[in-house]
Amino acid sequence: MPYTYEYPRPSVTVDCIIFGLDGSALKVLLIERGLEPFKGHWALPGGFVDMDENLETAAIRELEEETGVTDVFFEQLYTFGNPGRDPRGRVITVAYYALVNLSEHPVRASSDADNAEWFKLDELPPLAFDHGKVLNMAIDRLKGKVRYQPIGFELLPEKFTLSQLQSLYETILGGKVNKRNFRTKILKMGILKQLERQEDVPHRPAYLYRFDKAQYEEKMKSGFNFEINMSAK
Amino acid sequence: MPYTYEYPRPSVTVDCIIFGLDGSALKVLLIERGLEPFKGHWALPGGFVDMDENLETAAIRELEEETGVTDVFFEQLYTFGNPGRDPRGRVITVAYYALVNLSEHPVRASSDADNAEWFKLDELPPLAFDHGKVLNMAIDRLKGKVRYQPIGFELLPEKFTLSQLQSLYETILGGKVNKRNFRTKILKMGILKQLERQEDVPHRPAYLYRFDKAQYEEKMKSGFNFEINMSAK
DNA sequence: ACAAAAGTGTTGTTCCTACACCCATGA
DNA sequence: TCATGGGTGTAGGAACAACACTTTTGT
């Protein structure tokens, strides 16, 4: 049942950049393409947008199909539409990025017919299409955004230690922070709730904290601004 | 000459949010639609993307057609694609926003067949399609971005006074800044070049400054970060 | 001389930085 | 008792906030 239009139209897809924190390494989920073009290459998970489907819904659907993950941080990144970015014709793709908490969402490593795998950001294979460029933009966005909005917590388990949080920032931003100063600053913000201590660790048990979203939003109303700087060497 | 596809495809358009500073008021350029749907309503300038045209090129073309302006700050905002946002069918639009310097680019008020006009942000007419939502997102983005990136200069003439710059920030962010502290801070950043004085003003002539982009980029390499806060009441 | 806007001095406070040190736990 | 990471004290300096004041121009 063909569809006919007076003027030519592009295809529209969504692609997802899914970041996860594995220990202290930041990783991204890629799938190995089973079909041409770029058969055998690694690519960002994604697919075509249905005609009666929101863009964001489509991206959430793709994410769910590929990883089984739902209800995570999710945001539009950018739209790529250069003619020639897909050998099959004019394909415009709307990219979304997601932050998932690997320790609480056991992402199924493989799904559908495709092979899926987590890659460290510094051990990436060559990517299909312009996905290298897309991924780079996602990394830049993450680096930029994590400093001014409390989205880093999305990568951690619900309960985390200050050391984990510090390590997260050091990983994403690339740099060291002074422990004393990091703690003082983040605690003074008043957006973390202190919980119980860790148990069964072979050293002094750390306090666990939870990000207090309600408190954060409350503070935002009166001109509070979240900001993390990497200063120390 | 019809085009036929196996699956249905959406149309893709670009829309432009064009901000300009008129005196101390921030304005946006709208056009009055001459055709259905929303005939007679005000809308963002925009149009369909050609099949062999970059998205950004399309947006720049629309901007040029509507305003005659070229070579201004220009950046992708967001992509809107809810089914139902356009009564003609599935239309996905990629929105771009631009900052133009009204005092140096005498924008032609009207062009093409459409009527074009600048509106203050607090005196907006009802907008066609979901353009109200699009414009609101552009305003939020501008407010957010202007604090962390030196894009405010794009709205001013090449040579400007510190008072003009301060007034710009007060307008966009909505608030007052202490003159003394604003000056101290912005000058200490070292990204402004002092030029000659004003002439023929009925008060003490102010120094003119130019944004020194090269200097800014140089500083960026070594972890400098631009930031403007509105603190004073 | 006056109005208007440009531009400066200064002070108390808060925040940032760097470094050294102590604490609690399991092995 | 040792290794390991958790957690704190503190001092000097830089940046911020608030307010009052002086300067330079055209009329």
Side-chain angles (χ1 to χ4, degrees):
Chain A
M1 187 189 295
Y3 295 84
T4 301
Y5 306 106
E6 189 177 351
Y7 297 99
R9 296 186 177 188
S11 300
V12 176
T13 61
V14 289
D15 285 314
C16 299
I17 301 94
I18 306 167
F19 291 111
L21 195 69
D22 180 4
S24 67
L26 189 61
K27 295 189 171 179
V28 64
L29 187 73
L30 300 175
I31 62 162
E32 192 175 14
R33 290 182 58 83
L35 299 172
E36 293 293 349
F38 292 101
K39 183 174 172 178
H41 280 67
W42 294 89
L44 296 169
F48 290 90
V49 177
D50 294 341
M51 267 315 254
D52 54 358
E53 186 182 43
N54 280 353
L55 296 174
E56 179 153 333
T57 307
I60 290 173
R61 175 176 56 73
E62 290 293 341
L63 174 62
E64 207 279 332
E65 286 174 12
E66 296 295 343
T67 66
V69 168
T70 57
D71 194 33
V72 294
F73 176 86
F74 206 75
E75 191 174 85
Q76 195 183 103
L77 172 67
Y78 199 78
T79 298
F80 299 83
N82 280 10
R85 59 172 293 281
D86 190 316
R88 292 168 294 187
R90 184 79 193 267
V91 179
I92 291 172
T93 193
V94 185
Y96 285 79
Y97 70 108
L99 303 181
V100 315
N101 164 0
L102 285 184
S103 49
E104 291 185 351
H105 293 278
V107 175
R108 34 173 202 272
S110 177
S111 62
D112 285 10
D114 295 317
N115 201 17
E117 212 167 290
W118 291 95
F119 288 87
K120 283 194 191 181
L121 293 186
D122 52 5
E123 296 174 3
L124 291 169
L127 299 188
F129 307 104
D130 55 357
H131 287 185
K133 186 175 150 194
V134 177
L135 178 54
N136 279 332
M137 189 176 284
I139 295 168
D140 287 347
R141 178 81 133 255
L142 178 61
K143 284 189 184 182
K145 195 131 190 165
V146 84
R147 293 184 49 215
Y148 302 111
Q149 263 178 251
I151 61 173
F153 303 107
E154 308 283 344
L155 289 162
L156 294 176
E158 195 192 335
K159 300 177 181 184
F160 52 85
T161 68
L162 292 184
S163 294
Q164 280 178 290
L165 186 61
Q166 177 176 345
S167 162
L168 166 72
Y169 277 102
E170 290 177 344
T171 300
I172 295 180
L173 296 179
K176 290 284 175 201
V177 195
N178 180 287
K179 180 174 58 165
R180 180 57 165 128
N181 301 339
F182 180 80
R183 282 161 186 257
T184 305
K185 178 161 185 180
I186 200 102
L187 288 178
K188 197 170 310 182
M189 285 184 187
I191 56 174
L192 296 185
K193 183 142 193 284
Q194 194 182 67
L195 307 170
E196 73 279 6
R197 286 173 173 283
Q198 282 181 317
E199 280 173 21
D200 298 320
V201 286
H203 54 260
R204 176 174 177 178
Y207 280 105
L208 295 167
Y209 292 84
R210 187 206 320 275
F211 171 57
D212 188 338
K213 194 169 180 181
Q215 196 94 46
Y216 169 71
E217 313 225 315
E218 193 53 44
K219 284 175 185 284
M220 284 304 285
K221 288 182 198 164
S222 31
F224 166 79
N225 77 310
F226 183 88
E227 191 187 329
I228 301 285
N229 284 316
M230 294 280 111
S231 38
K233 267 275 146 57
Chain B
M1 186 192 295
Y3 294 85
T4 300
Y5 308 107
E6 189 177 353
Y7 296 100
R9 295 186 178 188
S11 300
V12 176
T13 62
V14 289
D15 285 314
C16 299
I17 301 94
I18 307 166
F19 290 111
L21 195 68
D22 179 4
S24 68
L26 189 61
K27 295 188 172 179
V28 64
L29 188 72
L30 300 176
I31 61 160
E32 192 175 13
R33 289 182 57 84
L35 299 172
E36 292 293 350
F38 293 100
K39 184 174 173 180
H41 279 67
W42 293 90
L44 296 169
F48 290 90
V49 177
D50 293 341
M51 269 313 257
D52 54 358
E53 185 183 43
N54 280 354
L55 295 174
E56 180 154 333
T57 307
I60 289 173
R61 174 176 56 72
E62 289 293 339
L63 174 62
E64 207 278 332
E65 286 174 11
E66 296 294 342
T67 66
V69 168
T70 57
D71 195 33
V72 295
F73 176 86
F74 206 77
E75 190 174 86
Q76 196 185 102
L77 171 67
Y78 199 78
T79 298
F80 299 83
N82 281 10
R85 57 173 295 280
D86 190 315
R88 293 167 293 188
R90 185 78 192 267
V91 179
I92 290 172
T93 193
V94 185
Y96 285 79
Y97 70 108
L99 303 181
V100 315
N101 164 1
L102 285 185
S103 49
E104 290 185 350
H105 293 278
V107 174
R108 38 173 197 272
S110 178
S111 62
D112 283 10
D114 294 318
N115 201 17
E117 211 168 290
W118 290 94
F119 287 87
K120 283 194 190 178
L121 293 187
D122 52 4
E123 297 174 3
L124 292 170
L127 299 188
F129 306 105
D130 55 355
H131 287 185
K133 185 175 150 194
V134 177
L135 177 53
N136 278 332
M137 189 177 284
I139 294 168
D140 287 347
R141 177 82 132 255
L142 177 61
K143 284 189 184 182
K145 196 131 190 167
V146 83
R147 294 184 48 215
Y148 302 111
Q149 263 177 250
I151 60 172
F153 303 108
E154 307 284 343
L155 288 162
L156 294 176
E158 196 192 336
K159 300 177 180 183
F160 52 86
T161 69
L162 292 184
S163 294
Q164 281 178 291
L165 186 61
Q166 178 176 345
S167 161
L168 167 73
Y169 277 102
E170 290 178 343
T171 300
I172 295 180
L173 296 179
K176 291 283 175 201
V177 196
N178 180 286
K179 181 174 58 165
R180 179 56 162 127
N181 301 339
F182 180 79
R183 281 161 186 258
T184 305
K185 178 159 183 179
I186 200 100
L187 288 178
K188 197 170 308 181
M189 285 184 187
I191 56 175
L192 295 186
K193 183 142 193 282
Q194 194 182 67
L195 307 171
E196 72 279 6
R197 286 173 173 281
Q198 282 180 317
E199 280 173 22
D200 298 320
V201 286
H203 54 260
R204 177 173 177 178
Y207 280 106
L208 294 167
Y209 292 84
R210 186 206 320 275
F211 171 57
D212 189 337
K213 193 169 180 181
Q215 197 95 46
Y216 169 71
E217 314 226 314
E218 192 54 44
K219 284 176 184 284
M220 283 304 285
K221 288 184 198 160
S222 30
F224 166 79
N225 76 312
F226 182 88
E227 192 187 330
I228 301 287
N229 286 316
M230 293 280 110
S231 38
K233 264 280 145 53

